[in-house]
Amino acid sequence: MEISGIISAIVIGIVIGVLGRLIVPGRQRIGLLLTIAVGIVAALVGTFVAAQFGLAETKGVDWAEWGIQIVLAAIGVFALDRVAGGRGRRR
């Protein structure tokens, strides 16, 4: 993988992670770097899933692929928030 591919993955991961975080209601207790990491993983997994369904290569904008990636990022943010929320919470 070339440096431009790595930079593209990071930029797309930032966008996907932030959009996924915006979908999850309430305040999340995970940091920006974890959000970006979730976004990068969601972008990679979402591309794979979209390719399996024949949605990765379409004419124009790949809305279905973006949708899959954003939903996966929202699930990842929600799951990590639940794990992070369990630490340090008083009852």
Side-chain angles (χ1 to χ4, degrees):
M1 180 178 259
E2 296 179 16
I3 191 73
S4 62
I6 294 169
I7 292 172
S8 297
I10 292 170
V11 170
I12 291 170
I14 291 169
V15 172
I16 296 294
V18 168
L19 290 173
R21 190 175 179 136
L22 288 174
I23 290 175
V24 178
R27 182 171 183 241
Q28 293 83 39
R29 293 170 292 267
I30 63 171
L32 181 62
L33 290 178
L34 204 49
T35 300
I36 292 170
V38 167
I40 292 170
V41 171
L44 295 172
V45 173
T47 298
F48 175 76
V49 170
Q52 297 304 309
F53 288 105
L55 302 171
E57 296 295 327
T58 60
K59 293 180 181 179
V61 179
D62 296 326
W63 293 111
E65 182 178 357
W66 274 80
I68 293 168
Q69 292 170 337
I70 293 168
V71 168
L72 289 174
I75 292 168
V77 167
F78 179 78
L80 285 176
D81 181 53
R82 298 305 254 174
V83 170
R87 285 188 258 143
R89 185 184 289 180
R90 293 183 187 175
R91 294 186 179 221

